[in-house]
Amino acid sequence: MLALRLTRSAHPAVQLRRLLVAAASAGTGFLLLCALGHALGHPDTPASSMLRLAWCAAPLAATVYFAIAVARTDPGTRPRPGLSAVGLGPARLMAISAATTALSCTLGSTLALLVFLHLRGDLTGMPFDGAATDFLAAGRPLPLPAALTLLALVPLSASAAVAVALRPREPVTGAARGARSYGRFGAYRRTAVRESFGAYGRFGKQSGAAARGRRTVVPAPDREGAADVLETGSETGPGPETGPETGPETGPEDVAGAPPSAAHTQPSGLPWGIAVLAVGLAVEALASRTGAGGAAGGRPAALLGLPLTAVGLALAGPGLTHLCGRLIQTVRPGALRLLAGRILMAEAARIGRPLGVVCAVMSAAYAMASLQDGQDASSGPLVTLGVLLVAGCTVATLLTAAVEARQARAGTTAALRRLGAPTATLRRAAALRAGALLALFGPLTLVVAELSAWPLAR
């Protein structure tokens, strides 16, 4: 009941995102039911029916991925101070998010069942003069347990994925993370063991930022903007020694609003993504070179490289986004380029993965377009529906991730405005980020699409 009340009282933008999840669930459920109908209408070709059912894995994965992104941006289930006192802790909020996702997906699955039954003629007369009876199994009894099992795949998968993605995690504080400090003879250490007075006097631990009276930035798990950095700086005052170095420091990194650890930590998936992408392209080229790529039975060998290239682009997305932010700041950057680059570097993990998935879907769709001449004409509408569903879910996931990133840097934007930054500067920084990402990922998508389509078109 609480999940239903939160669903009803949500913002219209949140309701729109939930309706989009329901629409994606309806499309995926309809494709699953069509695969069941083809199996009922063609019992002599089980391999073809199994291939249609396996092809529905891509829309299912895209729908689940989109549902996770929507659940992350839901403000009604976000942990806030005081909710634990009334019994709404992180675990309860995670359960509410999973229940809300299950409600949206169940609504979509119910709509898919009603549309499928209507097209079969079970509810009313046969529409479209029976033109779609090939994959509907009209005139045959529909096994209700099998249909309900297929329709339950989307709600169960989406709710389980949301529960795993939003599961409560132990906060990692600065003391637990272990700040870098200097021990004996300049060695790094991460323990809290105190040095003797002689070691302190000889090797000068007072050379650190805290001993000189500089402002220290205490890392925190929820530190996301310049407001927190400035607040930490105001709480830490100068030490007993005063001098030219004891005053407050305001650098470009603080103005950019990204934590130094988040901005300088490069995602580790770039080498793996490049390796998997190269393996996928090599598999497609090998299938084409052996002469099997153009044969009807050899095209599946070339199609094996498409999932590998998609996974490679998805893995390399955060690293490429981080690299793009670093390239913006090269060659004596100004305040605008520095701000845009630092934000890209800090949000590489949040924006890069959906962006890589969008590039993978576009390249795969371009490569699959070369196979349309040999496909059955009766499956054309279903193929179009599946492609539109996957592309729409991935693009909507990218836009939802952008909304999540905007919400995450709300404190940074407020701090910049308090410092006197004009709104036009923030808009130009956003346009610069979008243009840099388009300039990097656009040609990359075209190159991968051409290399993937070349073996399939032969």
Side-chain angles (χ1 to χ4, degrees), residues 65 269 273 308-319 352-360:
Y65 192 46
L308 293 177
T309 56
V311 172
L313 285 175
L315 290 177
R353 187 62 56 84
L355 188 57
V357 172
V358 169
C359 296

Side-chain angles (χ1 to χ4, degrees), residues 380-402:
L382 296 182
V383 171
T384 304
L385 175 62
V387 171
L388 292 178
L389 182 61
V390 173
C393 286
T394 52
V395 173
T397 302
L398 178 60
L399 296 178
T400 306

Side-chain angles (χ1 to χ4, degrees), residues 130-299:
T133 57
D134 182 68
F135 52 86
L136 297 177
R140 296 177 179 268
L142 181 67
L144 189 59
L148 295 180
T149 301
L150 290 178
L151 289 177
L153 286 178
V154 181
L156 292 179
S157 302
S159 58
V162 168
V164 171
L166 302 182
R167 67 186 184 276
R169 297 179 178 87
E170 292 294 334
V172 181
T173 60
R177 188 181 292 113
R180 176 176 294 182
S181 58
Y182 293 96
R184 295 181 184 271
F185 303 102
Y188 294 128
R189 65 178 177 89
R190 294 183 180 272
T191 60
V193 181
R194 300 185 64 178
E195 296 286 353
S196 62
F197 178 77
Y200 178 86
R202 284 195 304 270
F203 299 103
K205 292 178 65 177
Q206 69 273 13
S207 60
R212 291 197 307 267
R214 289 187 178 182
R215 183 191 60 189
T216 57
V217 179
V218 181
D222 296 331
R223 182 77 34 93
E224 311 227 353
D228 300 320
V229 178
L230 295 174
E231 182 180 357
T232 306
S234 62
E235 293 176 357
T236 305
E241 298 179 3
T242 58
E245 298 180 350
T246 60
E249 296 179 356
T250 304
E253 297 180 358
D254 300 330
V255 177
S261 59
H264 288 289
T265 303
Q266 184 175 0
S268 58
L270 183 58
W272 291 103
I274 294 176
V276 175
L277 178 62
V279 169
L281 295 177
V283 169
E284 297 177 3
L286 181 62
S288 175
R289 186 175 181 180
T290 55
R299 275 186 174 180

